[in-house]
Short mmCIF file of all heavy atoms in Angstrom, two decimals:
data_model
loop_
_atom_site.label_atom_id
_atom_site.label_comp_id
_atom_site.label_asym_id
_atom_site.label_seq_id
_atom_site.Cartn_x
_atom_site.Cartn_y
_atom_site.Cartn_z
N HIS A 12 13.24 33.56 -65.83
CA HIS A 12 12.50 32.78 -66.75
C HIS A 12 13.00 31.42 -67.03
O HIS A 12 12.88 30.85 -68.16
CB HIS A 12 12.48 33.64 -68.17
CG HIS A 12 11.68 34.92 -67.99
ND1 HIS A 12 10.34 34.98 -67.92
CD2 HIS A 12 12.08 36.15 -67.73
CE1 HIS A 12 9.95 36.20 -67.78
NE2 HIS A 12 11.04 37.04 -67.64
N VAL A 13 13.72 30.80 -66.12
CA VAL A 13 14.26 29.54 -66.22
C VAL A 13 14.03 28.64 -64.86
O VAL A 13 13.78 29.22 -63.90
CB VAL A 13 15.77 29.47 -66.42
CG1 VAL A 13 16.09 30.17 -67.75
CG2 VAL A 13 16.48 30.03 -65.44
N THR A 14 13.88 27.38 -65.13
CA THR A 14 13.75 26.46 -63.90
C THR A 14 14.98 25.60 -63.93
O THR A 14 15.30 24.96 -64.96
CB THR A 14 12.50 25.58 -64.14
OG1 THR A 14 11.39 26.47 -64.26
CG2 THR A 14 12.41 24.68 -63.03
N TRP A 15 15.58 25.47 -62.83
CA TRP A 15 16.77 24.54 -62.60
C TRP A 15 16.22 23.17 -61.99
O TRP A 15 15.72 23.05 -60.91
CB TRP A 15 17.75 25.21 -61.56
CG TRP A 15 18.37 26.36 -62.20
CD1 TRP A 15 18.02 27.74 -62.26
CD2 TRP A 15 19.54 26.28 -63.03
NE1 TRP A 15 18.92 28.40 -62.93
CE2 TRP A 15 19.76 27.60 -63.48
CE3 TRP A 15 20.45 25.19 -63.52
CZ2 TRP A 15 20.89 27.96 -64.32
CZ3 TRP A 15 21.55 25.56 -64.25
CH2 TRP A 15 21.71 26.79 -64.71
N LYS A 16 16.35 22.16 -62.83
CA LYS A 16 15.78 20.81 -62.54
C LYS A 16 16.85 19.84 -62.24
O LYS A 16 17.96 20.00 -62.82
CB LYS A 16 14.88 20.36 -63.78
CG LYS A 16 13.81 21.17 -64.01
CD LYS A 16 12.79 20.61 -65.06
CE LYS A 16 11.51 21.36 -65.19
NZ LYS A 16 10.51 20.75 -66.02
N TRP A 17 16.61 18.76 -61.55
CA TRP A 17 17.53 17.81 -61.06
C TRP A 17 17.45 16.49 -61.91
O TRP A 17 16.34 16.13 -62.29
CB TRP A 17 17.33 17.46 -59.65
CG TRP A 17 17.68 18.60 -58.72
CD1 TRP A 17 16.83 19.49 -58.22
CD2 TRP A 17 18.99 18.95 -58.35
NE1 TRP A 17 17.58 20.35 -57.41
CE2 TRP A 17 18.87 20.12 -57.48
CE3 TRP A 17 20.33 18.42 -58.55
CZ2 TRP A 17 19.97 20.78 -56.90
CZ3 TRP A 17 21.44 19.09 -58.01
CH2 TRP A 17 21.24 20.22 -57.13
N THR A 18 18.40 15.70 -61.95
CA THR A 18 18.44 14.32 -62.43
C THR A 18 18.24 13.48 -61.24
O THR A 18 18.43 13.95 -60.09
CB THR A 18 19.76 14.02 -63.20
OG1 THR A 18 20.87 14.08 -62.21
CG2 THR A 18 19.97 14.75 -64.40
N VAL A 19 17.92 12.22 -61.48
CA VAL A 19 17.65 11.25 -60.39
C VAL A 19 19.07 11.02 -59.64
O VAL A 19 19.98 10.75 -60.35
CB VAL A 19 17.13 9.95 -60.85
CG1 VAL A 19 17.09 8.91 -59.66
CG2 VAL A 19 15.81 10.08 -61.45
N PRO A 20 19.10 11.22 -58.34
CA PRO A 20 20.50 10.92 -57.65
C PRO A 20 20.83 9.49 -57.81
O PRO A 20 20.03 8.53 -57.74
CB PRO A 20 20.10 11.29 -56.20
CG PRO A 20 18.98 12.14 -56.24
CD PRO A 20 18.19 11.80 -57.48
N ASP A 21 22.09 9.28 -57.92
CA ASP A 21 22.58 7.85 -58.13
C ASP A 21 23.80 7.65 -57.19
O ASP A 21 24.40 8.57 -56.72
CB ASP A 21 22.95 7.54 -59.52
CG ASP A 21 22.77 6.06 -59.78
OD1 ASP A 21 22.53 5.22 -58.90
OD2 ASP A 21 22.81 5.72 -60.99
N THR A 22 24.30 6.41 -57.05
CA THR A 22 25.46 6.13 -56.30
C THR A 22 26.65 5.54 -57.15
O THR A 22 26.20 4.88 -58.16
CB THR A 22 25.09 5.12 -55.15
OG1 THR A 22 26.36 4.74 -54.44
CG2 THR A 22 24.40 3.90 -55.70
N ASP A 23 27.80 5.74 -56.82
CA ASP A 23 28.94 5.21 -57.65
C ASP A 23 29.41 3.84 -57.21
O ASP A 23 30.24 3.29 -57.71
CB ASP A 23 30.05 6.23 -57.72
CG ASP A 23 30.80 6.33 -56.36
OD1 ASP A 23 30.25 5.99 -55.36
OD2 ASP A 23 31.96 6.94 -56.34
N ASN A 24 28.83 3.39 -55.98
CA ASN A 24 29.31 2.18 -55.45
C ASN A 24 28.14 1.45 -54.82
O ASN A 24 27.86 1.37 -53.61
CB ASN A 24 30.36 2.40 -54.34
CG ASN A 24 31.01 1.17 -53.79
OD1 ASN A 24 30.60 0.11 -54.08
ND2 ASN A 24 32.21 1.38 -53.11
N PRO A 25 27.37 0.64 -55.76
CA PRO A 25 26.09 0.01 -55.20
C PRO A 25 26.42 -1.14 -54.29
O PRO A 25 25.47 -1.57 -53.55
CB PRO A 25 25.52 -0.46 -56.52
CG PRO A 25 26.56 -0.42 -57.59
CD PRO A 25 27.56 0.69 -57.11
N ASP A 26 27.65 -1.60 -54.20
CA ASP A 26 27.89 -2.70 -53.18
C ASP A 26 27.95 -2.10 -51.82
O ASP A 26 27.70 -2.74 -50.82
CB ASP A 26 29.24 -3.30 -53.43
CG ASP A 26 29.35 -4.09 -54.78
OD1 ASP A 26 28.34 -4.64 -55.15
OD2 ASP A 26 30.49 -4.18 -55.27
N VAL A 27 28.21 -0.71 -51.65
CA VAL A 27 28.24 -0.07 -50.36
C VAL A 27 26.91 0.63 -50.17
O VAL A 27 26.23 0.40 -49.15
CB VAL A 27 29.29 0.89 -50.30
CG1 VAL A 27 29.22 1.83 -49.09
CG2 VAL A 27 30.68 0.16 -50.43
N LEU A 28 26.41 1.39 -51.07
CA LEU A 28 25.19 2.07 -51.10
C LEU A 28 24.33 1.82 -52.23
O LEU A 28 24.62 2.24 -53.43
CB LEU A 28 25.49 3.63 -50.89
CG LEU A 28 24.44 4.55 -50.42
CD1 LEU A 28 23.99 4.29 -49.03
CD2 LEU A 28 24.95 6.00 -50.46
N ARG A 29 23.36 1.02 -52.08
CA ARG A 29 22.44 0.57 -53.23
C ARG A 29 21.19 1.38 -53.28
O ARG A 29 20.43 1.65 -52.32
CB ARG A 29 21.90 -0.88 -53.01
CG ARG A 29 21.18 -1.45 -53.89
CD ARG A 29 20.91 -2.98 -53.56
NE ARG A 29 20.54 -3.22 -52.12
CZ ARG A 29 19.35 -3.26 -51.66
NH1 ARG A 29 18.29 -3.11 -52.40
NH2 ARG A 29 19.17 -3.54 -50.31
N LYS A 30 20.82 1.84 -54.48
CA LYS A 30 19.73 2.72 -54.73
C LYS A 30 18.51 1.66 -54.86
O LYS A 30 18.45 0.79 -55.66
CB LYS A 30 19.84 3.49 -56.11
CG LYS A 30 18.59 4.33 -56.33
CD LYS A 30 18.78 5.37 -57.44
CE LYS A 30 19.05 4.76 -58.68
NZ LYS A 30 19.02 5.78 -59.88
N THR A 31 17.48 1.92 -53.99
CA THR A 31 16.30 1.17 -54.07
C THR A 31 15.07 1.86 -54.69
O THR A 31 14.08 1.12 -55.03
CB THR A 31 15.86 0.82 -52.54
OG1 THR A 31 15.71 2.04 -51.81
CG2 THR A 31 16.92 0.03 -51.83
N ALA A 32 15.24 3.13 -54.88
CA ALA A 32 14.14 3.86 -55.60
C ALA A 32 14.71 5.17 -55.95
O ALA A 32 15.60 5.75 -55.43
CB ALA A 32 12.97 4.09 -54.69
N GLY A 33 14.13 5.83 -57.07
CA GLY A 33 14.61 7.19 -57.54
C GLY A 33 13.61 7.59 -58.59
O GLY A 33 13.03 6.78 -59.39
N SER A 34 13.33 8.97 -58.57
CA SER A 34 12.41 9.53 -59.59
C SER A 34 12.65 11.03 -59.51
O SER A 34 13.16 11.61 -58.69
CB SER A 34 11.01 9.19 -59.23
OG SER A 34 10.61 9.87 -58.07
N THR A 35 12.16 11.61 -60.69
CA THR A 35 12.03 13.04 -60.77
C THR A 35 10.52 13.43 -60.83
O THR A 35 9.72 12.53 -61.27
CB THR A 35 12.69 13.61 -62.14
OG1 THR A 35 12.11 12.95 -63.28
CG2 THR A 35 14.22 13.28 -62.03
N LEU A 36 10.18 14.51 -60.45
CA LEU A 36 8.84 14.99 -60.33
C LEU A 36 8.68 16.09 -61.54
O LEU A 36 9.59 16.71 -61.95
CB LEU A 36 8.50 15.72 -59.09
CG LEU A 36 8.63 14.77 -57.86
CD1 LEU A 36 8.41 15.57 -56.57
CD2 LEU A 36 7.75 13.58 -57.89
N PRO A 37 7.40 16.25 -62.00
CA PRO A 37 7.15 17.26 -63.06
C PRO A 37 7.74 18.66 -62.82
O PRO A 37 8.11 19.36 -63.80
CB PRO A 37 5.65 17.28 -63.23
CG PRO A 37 5.25 15.85 -62.75
CD PRO A 37 6.17 15.59 -61.60
N ASN A 38 7.90 19.07 -61.61
CA ASN A 38 8.32 20.41 -61.30
C ASN A 38 9.83 20.40 -61.26
O ASN A 38 10.39 21.53 -61.05
CB ASN A 38 7.76 20.84 -59.89
CG ASN A 38 8.49 20.17 -58.81
OD1 ASN A 38 9.01 19.07 -58.94
ND2 ASN A 38 8.16 20.61 -57.50
N GLY A 39 10.51 19.42 -61.45
CA GLY A 39 11.99 19.30 -61.45
C GLY A 39 12.70 18.82 -60.20
O GLY A 39 13.85 18.67 -60.19
N ASP A 40 11.92 18.54 -59.20
CA ASP A 40 12.39 18.01 -58.04
C ASP A 40 12.93 16.57 -58.38
O ASP A 40 12.51 15.85 -59.24
CB ASP A 40 11.49 17.89 -56.82
CG ASP A 40 11.03 19.20 -56.33
OD1 ASP A 40 11.56 20.21 -56.65
OD2 ASP A 40 10.12 19.17 -55.51
N ALA A 41 13.84 16.00 -57.52
CA ALA A 41 14.34 14.59 -57.64
C ALA A 41 14.44 14.03 -56.26
O ALA A 41 14.76 14.70 -55.28
CB ALA A 41 15.66 14.60 -58.31
N ARG A 42 14.13 12.66 -56.31
CA ARG A 42 14.21 11.90 -55.04
C ARG A 42 14.89 10.60 -55.29
O ARG A 42 14.91 10.07 -56.36
CB ARG A 42 12.76 11.55 -54.55
CG ARG A 42 11.94 12.77 -54.41
CD ARG A 42 12.28 13.43 -53.02
NE ARG A 42 11.23 14.41 -52.66
CZ ARG A 42 11.42 15.78 -53.03
NH1 ARG A 42 12.52 16.11 -53.61
NH2 ARG A 42 10.52 16.67 -52.68
N ALA A 43 15.57 9.99 -54.24
CA ALA A 43 16.10 8.72 -54.26
C ALA A 43 16.21 8.17 -52.88
O ALA A 43 16.49 8.90 -51.85
CB ALA A 43 17.60 8.72 -54.87
N ASP A 44 16.04 6.87 -52.79
CA ASP A 44 16.28 6.13 -51.53
C ASP A 44 17.42 5.28 -51.76
O ASP A 44 17.51 4.44 -52.80
CB ASP A 44 14.94 5.39 -51.13
CG ASP A 44 13.85 6.26 -50.71
OD1 ASP A 44 14.14 7.33 -50.18
OD2 ASP A 44 12.61 5.81 -51.03
N LEU A 45 18.33 5.13 -50.79
CA LEU A 45 19.46 4.23 -50.95
C LEU A 45 19.62 3.47 -49.62
O LEU A 45 19.35 4.09 -48.53
CB LEU A 45 20.82 5.12 -51.14
CG LEU A 45 20.64 5.99 -52.36
CD1 LEU A 45 20.75 7.54 -52.05
CD2 LEU A 45 21.79 5.67 -53.36
N HIS A 46 20.18 2.29 -49.66
CA HIS A 46 20.30 1.35 -48.59
C HIS A 46 21.70 1.13 -48.36
O HIS A 46 22.46 0.69 -49.36
CB HIS A 46 19.56 0.11 -48.70
CG HIS A 46 19.48 -0.67 -47.56
ND1 HIS A 46 20.38 -1.71 -47.30
CD2 HIS A 46 18.67 -0.61 -46.42
CE1 HIS A 46 20.06 -2.26 -46.13
NE2 HIS A 46 19.06 -1.60 -45.59
N ALA A 47 22.25 1.27 -47.15
CA ALA A 47 23.59 1.01 -46.77
C ALA A 47 23.80 -0.51 -46.61
O ALA A 47 23.48 -1.06 -45.63
CB ALA A 47 24.10 1.84 -45.53
N ASP A 48 24.34 -1.16 -47.68
CA ASP A 48 24.57 -2.54 -47.62
C ASP A 48 25.83 -3.08 -47.10
O ASP A 48 25.88 -4.10 -46.58
CB ASP A 48 24.32 -3.18 -49.09
CG ASP A 48 22.86 -3.14 -49.44
OD1 ASP A 48 21.98 -3.12 -48.63
OD2 ASP A 48 22.63 -3.30 -50.71
N GLY A 49 26.84 -2.27 -47.37
CA GLY A 49 28.21 -2.77 -46.88
C GLY A 49 29.14 -1.61 -46.35
O GLY A 49 28.82 -0.49 -46.65
N VAL A 50 30.23 -2.07 -45.80
CA VAL A 50 31.08 -1.03 -45.19
C VAL A 50 31.86 -0.40 -46.32
O VAL A 50 32.37 -1.27 -47.33
CB VAL A 50 31.96 -1.67 -44.08
CG1 VAL A 50 33.09 -0.62 -43.69
CG2 VAL A 50 31.20 -2.16 -42.87
N GLY A 51 32.08 0.90 -46.29
CA GLY A 51 32.98 1.54 -47.35
C GLY A 51 32.47 2.92 -47.59
O GLY A 51 31.72 3.59 -46.83
N THR A 52 32.93 3.48 -48.77
CA THR A 52 32.46 4.81 -49.08
C THR A 52 31.90 4.85 -50.57
O THR A 52 32.31 4.19 -51.36
CB THR A 52 33.88 5.71 -49.19
OG1 THR A 52 34.45 5.67 -47.87
CG2 THR A 52 33.49 7.11 -49.54
N ALA A 53 30.89 5.67 -50.59
CA ALA A 53 30.11 5.87 -51.86
C ALA A 53 29.85 7.33 -52.04
O ALA A 53 29.68 8.10 -51.11
CB ALA A 53 28.81 5.08 -51.88
N THR A 54 29.78 7.73 -53.32
CA THR A 54 29.44 9.13 -53.66
C THR A 54 28.03 9.10 -54.27
O THR A 54 27.78 8.41 -55.13
CB THR A 54 30.42 9.75 -54.58
OG1 THR A 54 31.81 9.78 -54.05
CG2 THR A 54 30.00 11.13 -55.00
N VAL A 55 27.24 9.92 -53.62
CA VAL A 55 25.82 10.13 -54.17
C VAL A 55 25.84 11.36 -55.08
O VAL A 55 26.41 12.39 -54.58
CB VAL A 55 24.75 10.24 -53.12
CG1 VAL A 55 23.34 10.42 -53.71
CG2 VAL A 55 24.84 8.94 -52.20
N SER A 56 25.44 11.26 -56.33
CA SER A 56 25.52 12.52 -57.05
C SER A 56 24.27 12.72 -57.96
O SER A 56 23.52 11.80 -58.25
CB SER A 56 26.74 12.40 -57.98
OG SER A 56 26.67 11.30 -58.84
#
């Protein structure tokens, strides 16, 4: 009797991995598009 819904994915290092789009859907799904702008490491969460 519960639905597990997501938040919009984001990045902790926009200089390396920049979010260009993100949204949640009414059913609880979440989407994001990220662009690899620079060399390095980023966490998407």
Side-chain angles (χ1 to χ4, degrees):
H12 294 282
V13 300
T14 301
W15 290 90
K16 296 185 174 191
W17 291 100
T18 60
V19 176
D21 208 352
T22 176
D23 70 341
N24 192 346
D26 293 332
V27 172
L28 195 62
R29 176 178 45 92
K30 184 166 65 172
T31 59
S34 64
T35 57
L36 302 174
N38 70 348
D40 291 357
R42 304 281 186 263
D44 292 329
L45 304 119
H46 189 264
D48 284 343
V50 174
T52 302
T54 300
V55 179
S56 60

